[in-house]
Amino acid sequence: MAYWLLKSEVDAWSWDQQKKEGRKGAEWTGVRNYQARNNMRAMKEGDLGFFYLSGGDKSVVGIVTVVKEAHPDSTDGSGQWECVDVAAVADLPQPVTLAEIKTKPKLEDMVLVRNSRLSVQPVTEAEWRAVCAMGGISDPPSV
DNA sequence: GCCAACGTTGGC
DNA sequence: GCCAACGTTGGC
């Protein structure tokens, strides 16, 4: 079991859209990068992840959980790309911006900071707790 | 809007 | 298999 961070552009897939899908969740489509795909392949049902918005807000706004493990991406015709299904679990009471994350020495090794372009990233347990705390969740969900 | 960083492509 | 050229992403 593990923690992750999933990136989205608000125009492509917003947190509101994600929440509307409810507990059944929705396919996390559109990933066309091998490293990101491999990370999705490693996901287990019940894993938790941050929902991060790149572009305008650049912040972690919510928590999702994996409800279906990797399977072919229905938006891909080549059969080469896969996706998982994720469902919204909770809002962060206070979104955590990239700028804030960068001010914390213990978060300087987050993939988000080190390799901002990777759209599906692993998150360590320590990072998970720290960002949850910054977001106003005192008792973070755990895997 | 710019540009650095990164991944992919394709010629050799 | 190397590497230059190119396209894309995403922070600023």
Side-chain angles (χ1 to χ4, degrees), chain A residues 107-125:
Chain A
L107 295 179
E108 70 185 5
D109 284 330
M110 271 190 84
V111 180
L112 188 65
V113 175
R114 296 270 162 165
N115 180 6
S116 59
R117 293 190 47 182
L118 184 60
S119 61
V120 179
Q121 319 176 348
V123 169
T124 68
E125 187 169 10

Side-chain angles (χ1 to χ4, degrees), chain A residues 8-140:
Chain A
S8 178
E9 292 263 356
V10 69
D11 291 344
W13 184 250
S14 71
W15 179 233
D16 277 344
Q17 280 175 284
Q18 181 67 59
K19 285 195 286 188
K20 280 193 189 119
E21 299 293 333
R23 298 180 58 178
K24 261 191 66 185
E27 286 190 320
W28 193 265
T29 57
V31 172
R32 299 292 183 267
N33 169 284
Y34 291 106
Q35 222 182 325
R37 185 196 65 183
N38 290 343
N39 286 336
M40 288 197 296
R41 283 180 172 173
M43 290 183 187
K44 301 289 182 209
E45 204 173 313
D47 277 1
L48 294 167
F50 289 127
F51 188 105
Y52 176 84
L53 289 174
S54 62
D57 289 345
K58 293 192 286 294
S59 51
V60 177
V61 296
I63 290 174
V64 295
T65 187
V66 176
V67 292
K68 189 175 178 188
E69 294 176 12
H71 59 89
D73 182 336
S74 65
T75 66
D76 168 48
S78 72
Q80 183 179 23
W81 300 106
E82 298 175 14
C83 64
V84 294
D85 288 13
V86 299
V89 171
D91 293 279
L92 287 203
Q94 167 131 18
V96 177
T97 66
L98 176 63
E100 284 175 79
I101 288 172
K102 286 187 166 176
T103 66
K104 307 286 181 189
K106 68 174 170 181
L107 295 179
E108 70 185 5
D109 284 330
M110 271 190 84
V111 180
L112 188 65
V113 175
R114 296 270 162 165
N115 180 6
S116 59
R117 293 190 47 182
L118 184 60
S119 61
V120 179
Q121 319 176 348
V123 169
T124 68
E125 187 169 10
E127 291 162 354
W128 179 261
R129 291 212 182 114
V131 174
C132 282
M134 290 162 72
I137 297 179
S138 52
D139 186 21

